[in-house]
Amino acid sequence: MTTVTDHTDDGHHGPEKGLMRWIKTTNHKDIGSLYLWFAFVMLLIGGAMAMVIRMELFQPGMQLSEPQFFNQMTTMHGLIMVFGAVMPAFVGLGNWLIPMMIGAPDMALPRMNNWSFWILPFAGGILLSTFFMEGGAPAFGWTFYAPLSTTFAPDSTDFFIFAVHLLGFSSIMGAINIIATVLNMRAPEMKLMDMPLFVWTWLITSFLLIGAMPVLAGAVTMMLTDRNFGTAFFDATGGGDPVLFQHIFWFFGHPEVYIMILPAFGVVSHIIPTFARKPLFGYSSMVYASASIAFLSYIVWGHHMFSTGMPVAGELYFMYATMLIAVPTGVKVFNWVSTMWRGSMTFETPMLWAISFVFLFTIGGFSGLMLGIVPADIQYQDTYFVVAHFHYVLVTGALWAIIAATFYWLPKWTGKMYNETLAKVHFWWAVISVNVLFFPQHFLGLAGMPRRIPDYSLQFADFNMISSIGGFAFGASFILFTYILIDCIRNGKPADARPWEGAKGLEWTLEPKAQYHSFNIPPTKVLIEQESQNS
Amino acid sequence: MSKLMSRLGGLIVMVSANAFAEYGFNMTKGVSSVARDIYGLHMMVFWICVAIALIVFSVMIYSLIVHRKSQGVVAANFHESTKAELLWTGIPIIILVLMAIPASSVLIDLEDTSKAQMTIKITGHQWKWQYDYPKEGISFISNLKQGSKDVIYSGNRHKNYLLEVDNNLVLPVDTPIRFLITSNDVIHSWWVPDFGVKQDANPGFINDAWVQIDEIGIYRGQCTELCGKDHGFMPIVVDVVSKADYAKWVSKQQAAKAVTLAKSSKTWGEEELISLGQKVYNTSCASCHGITGKGIPGVFPALKGSPIATGDIKKHISIVLHGKTGTAMAGYKNMLGDSDIAAVITFERTAFGNQMGDLIQPAQIKAAR
């Protein structure tokens, strides 16, 4: 690279060579890849913890861990999967795809983009380092309810608080960047209602992040001062209230749930029309449904707290508000089914993941509706029924969409095609094993098994063993997934610029492997309308 | 296709689950009106979900079979229908309202504790339950039974493993009972599925719940809010007896209390103190400080060679009685009697190589209270 100060020259240089490319990069594609690889590594670490959990629960009795270590496993598994795997993976997808989908050359704030990624490995490192401290890693659940996480937690908890702060910075900066990019960097001729659904859902998600993450930061800051500076926000002996913690946590936590699922809705809304060779049904109702879900997500947090002793009026309100979410979510499912209806479908790997997403996410939605009914929730609360529910929406929902997106856009990222046969084997392996893993957990919860217990009585033995076997098989499927990805990157056959017959979207108008700097000249109105999902 | 079969298979399993409720597929019908109402709501919502799933998934499966490129289908181009969208917004709203009506009435009933004729106070501790009968003057701690503790790491695990305690909560049948639920340390949750009662025990606050149990029998439950290391090891066992048997049990407990009081005024010998002390230590102290007194570094301090257990007796008595604020160490003033506390302190100062050789008498504890 020459020392040219003329900015018009920027479009012609390539990336730096070697490690410095990744440390110094401000390119949205590089940063997208960094996010995705980070998320993948975290997925494997969090997954390894899940394997330890399922091994311990394979049969009654304590076999390979101590109760305290088991609690560390469930806590860190949850934290790493939510903050380390699912959220960064979607930010990675957003980084890669949003500029290409809106005809922009890059993200609006590229240097901040670099920073918001590079915070993550440090935050993750600090979180994981607590395993090696006296007192061990956090063992109070990923929801870290006070006072178990304040008065009763080891000193390493302060490192956990710091890590959560860093993760929050990163997420907020990522969200600001996406809002700035979508609103300012869009091709001049692209109207908001021309934007692809993935961009819409990410825009809405960004507002959720900006609203929710500071609340989480507030919660951990109050924890910090309760632990170290003599305040008593969550301590009744000082005039505080431990239930206040739960209100604050879930005021963050419920929007967080939709932060993890809205971009997934976006992904599926791209894949289904492509392989049905038919325009997305109800584009505008999809946009409005996403916005309604986002709004409702801020006013239903109390449904996580029905057993805390909330007054009846509060319980009734949160029940009604929660049930309302079924309406826009239903609209989405009906729209996807209508998109398939009278289409001309083929079943390449991304489509298989997307269809199974619709089936399995809907099952998670049904158990969610059941959980919203307060009296029934009294029996479900904190049992394996809840565990089954949120794994159906987060694994076969959010993670499924991430994997679907990976296969769908991999040709555009690498310019190469993955091995379709192996990918299909991987899909069937994963989809069968994941149901063996999580479906029996519904029965366990209904039969009375509490969550977060390292050992259980004999009546729960059979379903736990089945669930663990499914878990090991599902865990092993990621070995094949890793192989397929590396095989594609190294040996994949060259892909077409538009590898999927029915695919629409500006990203497919780029070179087979999207060029390092794309859309230096904004796409024309004709091209935008031709590639719009809202046709 | 096999995908479709696997989903259908899943549905069949769910339906037949209902027929095999007693084998632990489904929620218990329970033994109280509240539990039965909850079960009814649960099944109603479940079948509504099954019906909606059947309709949506059938349409989808039909489409997946018929509308495929390999069948030579040319894609249609429709992508909007205001009529359809109004329909599938409106119908779910009506279904939801129909579900909300019975749910609201059950909720209002289960939260109304005003009809209760007797009161039990339940206090959660790390990791045991304390039951108080305020009117009858009975109070006791309920720990996981030693028989279960012995086989956690190895051995033959029996029926009711982890679901048995040393002192059952005893309640009369056919009586509306109010529970006042609180905690002494972290948040716990008291759950007996057969009663339809699950209520968090929050430190510093008192929650309530009620039940009227229709059948004599033994009912089991567990703590359902993560409360630290031994969250999985603090079960609940309720022995529901006839009203006559309950009255007998109450007078027996009151008599036993008088005996314990008398014992605490005599002077105890070393052997007596240490053998009782070891027993008390194993049920009340060992879950944190460890059977061998080594604790867990960074989480729970060791007693072996600790400055308290090898230092001033007064300080030792004070910490056991009153706990240490800002830590997990609870005060045992209201949980253990004078003899138990005297014995356990004697034991702690003698065992783990502490070799202090002090004998603490119940009278000293009584004086220190």
Side-chain angles (χ1 to χ4, degrees), chain A residues 61-335:
Chain A
M62 300 298 299
Q63 277 82 25
L64 61 112
S65 65
E66 292 289 323
Q68 184 74 12
F69 184 71
F70 182 88
N71 290 345
Q72 294 177 16
M73 285 288 112
T74 54
T75 304
M76 294 293 276
H77 165 73
L79 289 169
I80 283 175
M81 289 307 201
V82 168
F83 294 105
V86 174
M87 290 172 73
F90 277 125
V91 181
L93 291 173
N95 254 293
W96 248 107
L97 298 170
I98 289 172
M100 302 200 299
M101 285 178 165
I102 59 173
D106 205 312
M107 297 292 280
L109 308 160
R111 293 204 174 102
M112 193 169 86
N113 205 12
N114 173 295
W115 193 29
S116 57
F117 170 75
W118 276 109
I119 285 177
L120 282 183
F122 293 95
I126 289 169
L127 193 58
L128 287 172
S129 72
T130 55
F131 272 113
F132 307 102
M133 294 178 191
E134 197 179 58
F140 32 65
W142 86 275
T143 51
F144 52 101
Y145 282 6
L148 188 60
S149 61
T150 53
T151 318
F152 293 80
D155 293 345
S156 63
T157 306
D158 294 329
F159 287 86
F160 153 82
I161 292 171
F162 186 46
V164 170
H165 268 305
L166 289 178
L167 291 164
F169 283 150
S170 165
S171 292
I172 292 168
M173 286 193 289
I176 290 172
N177 211 345
I178 283 171
I179 293 173
T181 306
V182 172
L183 298 183
N184 298 311
M185 302 281 286
R186 219 162 61 241
E189 300 287 354
M190 184 182 262
K191 298 189 294 288
L192 281 174
M193 289 308 266
D194 279 330
M195 291 194 318
L197 260 221
F198 181 73
V199 179
W200 256 118
T201 51
W202 237 122
L203 180 65
I204 294 166
T205 302
S206 302
F207 282 101
L208 287 180
L209 278 168
I210 287 186
M213 295 311 285
V215 180
L216 176 68
V220 292
T221 307
M222 288 165 157
M223 265 175 73
L224 185 77
T225 61
D226 266 16
R227 289 171 52 80
N228 298 301
F229 306 116
T231 59
F233 291 109
F234 310 129
D235 181 358
T237 56
D241 184 348
V243 177
L244 172 68
F245 176 87
Q246 297 180 32
H247 281 290
I248 298 170
F249 179 84
W250 287 113
F251 191 85
F252 145 79
H254 203 77
E256 170 69 18
V257 172
Y258 291 91
I259 287 165
M260 291 190 282
I261 203 66
L262 281 177
F265 290 164
V267 166
V268 171
S269 304
H270 283 250
I271 294 174
I272 290 179
T274 294
F275 296 97
R277 294 169 178 76
K278 192 164 152 276
L280 179 67
F281 187 90
Y283 170 91
S284 29
S285 70
M286 284 298 216
V287 173
Y288 300 140
S290 303
S292 326
I293 291 173
F295 170 72
L296 289 172
S297 77
Y298 275 119
I299 58 168
V300 295
W301 76 90
H303 68 214
H304 298 270
M305 303 168 55
F306 286 144
S307 65
T308 55
M310 189 185 288
V312 183
E315 288 179 323
L316 286 172
Y317 160 72
F318 281 117
M319 172 165 74
Y320 301 148
T322 301
M323 291 171 86
L324 266 185
I325 295 184
V327 177
T329 315
V331 165
K332 286 192 163 279
V333 173
F334 298 138
N335 281 346

Side-chain angles (χ1 to χ4, degrees), chain B residues 79-95:
Chain B
H79 53 84
E80 235 164 8
S81 161
T82 315
K83 216 188 273 172
E85 297 195 45
L86 280 178
L87 211 62
W88 66 50
T89 312
I91 293 176
I93 291 179
I94 295 169
I95 296 174

Side-chain angles (χ1 to χ4, degrees), chain A residues 60-63 65-68 71 134-135 139-141 145-148 151-152 154-155 236 240-243 246 276-285 307-310 312 315-316 319-320 323-324 326-327 331 333-335 337-338 340-347 355-356 358-360 362-363 366 369-370 373-383 392 427-428 431 435 439 442-443 445-460 463 501 535, chain B residues 1-4 7 10 13-14 17 23-28 35 38 41-42 45-46 49 52-53 56-57 59-64 67-70 73-81 84-85 88-89 92-93 96 99-100 103-104 106-108 110-111 126 151-153 157-163 184-187 189 191-200 202-205 207 222-233 296-300 326-329:
Chain A
M62 300 298 299
Q63 277 82 25
S65 65
E66 292 289 323
Q68 184 74 12
N71 290 345
E134 197 179 58
F140 32 65
Y145 282 6
L148 188 60
T151 318
F152 293 80
D155 293 345
D241 184 348
V243 177
Q246 297 180 32
R277 294 169 178 76
K278 192 164 152 276
L280 179 67
F281 187 90
Y283 170 91
S284 29
S285 70
S307 65
T308 55
M310 189 185 288
V312 183
E315 288 179 323
L316 286 172
M319 172 165 74
Y320 301 148
M323 291 171 86
L324 266 185
V327 177
V331 165
V333 173
F334 298 138
N335 281 346
V337 176
S338 308
M340 292 184 220
W341 188 256
R342 291 182 55 209
S344 173
M345 278 186 274
T346 51
F347 301 94
I355 292 171
S356 65
V358 178
F359 273 108
L360 300 175
T362 304
I363 290 178
F366 285 133
L369 179 61
M370 294 171 81
I373 308 290
V374 185
D377 181 79
I378 298 288
Q379 294 279 39
Y380 307 141
Q381 170 79 31
D382 276 318
T383 67
Y392 264 86
F427 166 76
W428 288 108
V431 81
N435 281 290
F439 209 85
H442 289 112
F443 304 139
L446 292 175
M449 178 167 162
R451 65 190 283 207
R452 293 166 166 170
I453 56 173
D455 193 6
Y456 48 82
S457 59
L458 303 183
Q459 79 216 55
F460 305 125
F463 283 128
E501 191 186 7
S535 50
Chain B
M1 260 322 281
S2 50
K3 153 115 204 98
L4 314 179
R7 291 305 338 141
V13 170
M14 282 178 86
Y23 295 109
F25 273 99
N26 201 357
M27 185 188 286
T28 170
I38 292 175
L41 270 181
H42 157 71
V45 182
F46 171 71
C49 288
I52 299 171
V56 176
F57 291 165
V59 172
M60 208 168 139
I61 289 166
Y62 176 84
S63 181
L64 289 176
H67 304 138
R68 18 172 93 203
K69 200 184 176 196
S70 55
V73 180
V74 179
N77 198 34
F78 67 88
H79 53 84
E80 235 164 8
S81 161
E85 297 195 45
W88 66 50
T89 312
I93 291 179
L96 290 175
M99 289 200 288
S104 304
V106 174
L107 176 62
I108 288 166
L110 80 83
E111 290 287 4
Q126 280 183 327
V151 291
I152 288 173
Y153 290 93
R157 297 179 186 93
H158 46 279
K159 194 170 180 267
N160 295 325
Y161 165 66
L162 295 186
L163 291 178
N184 198 39
D185 37 50
V186 299
I187 300 173
S189 192
W191 182 34
V192 177
D194 282 314
F195 297 173
V197 173
K198 181 186 286 151
Q199 189 68 65
D200 286 3
N202 299 327
F205 294 84
N207 278 327
Q222 279 174 275
C223 176
T224 46
E225 182 65 64
L226 178 62
C227 55
K229 180 170 84 72
D230 284 350
H231 162 57
F233 305 94
I296 299 178
V299 187
F300 304 117
T327 72
M329 178 63 197

Side-chain angles (χ1 to χ4, degrees), chain B residues 59-346:
Chain B
V59 172
M60 208 168 139
I61 289 166
Y62 176 84
S63 181
L64 289 176
I65 294 168
V66 175
H67 304 138
R68 18 172 93 203
K69 200 184 176 196
S70 55
Q71 306 280 319
V73 180
V74 179
N77 198 34
F78 67 88
H79 53 84
E80 235 164 8
S81 161
T82 315
K83 216 188 273 172
E85 297 195 45
L86 280 178
L87 211 62
W88 66 50
T89 312
I91 293 176
I93 291 179
I94 295 169
I95 296 174
L96 290 175
V97 170
L98 291 178
M99 289 200 288
I101 294 168
S104 304
S105 76
V106 174
L107 176 62
I108 288 166
D109 175 51
L110 80 83
E111 290 287 4
D112 177 14
T113 60
S114 62
K115 29 196 177 300
Q117 287 170 10
M118 64 176 278
T119 300
I120 303 285
K121 185 181 163 216
I122 300 171
T123 310
H125 299 274
Q126 280 183 327
W127 294 280
K128 53 200 168 248
W129 294 99
Q130 180 176 11
Y131 299 109
D132 284 282
Y133 298 62
K135 229 172 156 186
E136 294 79 0
I138 298 170
S139 172
F140 57 87
I141 304 265
S142 178
N143 291 288
L144 177 63
K145 210 171 195 172
Q146 195 59 40
S148 277
K149 284 188 191 171
D150 290 340
V151 291
I152 288 173
Y153 290 93
S154 62
N156 277 333
R157 297 179 186 93
H158 46 279
K159 194 170 180 267
N160 295 325
Y161 165 66
L162 295 186
L163 291 178
E164 50 180 10
V165 295
D166 52 1
N167 298 307
N168 295 349
L169 172 65
V170 179
L171 294 176
V173 74
D174 294 329
T175 313
I177 302 161
R178 173 180 26 233
F179 299 116
L180 298 178
I181 301 170
T182 186
S183 165
N184 198 39
D185 37 50
V186 299
I187 300 173
H188 304 268
S189 192
W190 196 82
W191 182 34
V192 177
D194 282 314
F195 297 173
V197 173
K198 181 186 286 151
Q199 189 68 65
D200 286 3
N202 299 327
F205 294 84
I206 296 175
N207 278 327
D208 62 352
W210 78 278
V211 71
Q212 176 169 335
I213 307 145
D214 299 337
E215 285 172 41
I216 289 171
I218 289 180
Y219 304 101
R220 294 167 203 275
Q222 279 174 275
C223 176
T224 46
E225 182 65 64
L226 178 62
C227 55
K229 180 170 84 72
D230 284 350
H231 162 57
F233 305 94
M234 52 181 292
I236 296 153
V237 182
V238 186
D239 194 353
V240 175
V241 297
S242 71
K243 288 181 181 177
D245 286 348
Y246 175 72
K248 267 187 237 160
W249 178 83
V250 168
S251 45
K252 213 175 121 192
Q253 291 297 306
Q254 285 164 339
K257 199 178 155 191
V259 174
T260 321
L261 270 178
K263 263 195 192 164
S264 68
S265 58
K266 70 162 190 163
T267 304
W268 289 50
E270 183 179 354
E271 239 164 71
E272 267 186 302
L273 278 172
I274 287 178
S275 83
L276 177 65
Q278 178 155 29
K279 220 176 108 202
V280 175
Y281 181 84
N282 287 348
T283 46
S284 297
C285 317
S287 47
C288 294
H289 296 296
I291 290 280
T292 54
K294 286 184 187 147
I296 299 178
V299 187
F300 304 117
L303 295 187
K304 188 179 165 70
S306 86
I308 303 246
T310 59
D312 184 9
I313 292 187
K314 273 201 187 124
K315 268 195 191 150
H316 195 164
I317 293 175
S318 162
I319 201 165
V320 175
L321 280 177
H322 307 294
K324 187 173 175 191
T325 45
T327 72
M329 178 63 197
Y332 283 81
K333 199 169 65 170
N334 300 319
M335 284 191 270
L336 297 175
D338 293 341
S339 345
D340 285 349
I341 293 181
V344 81
I345 293 176
T346 307

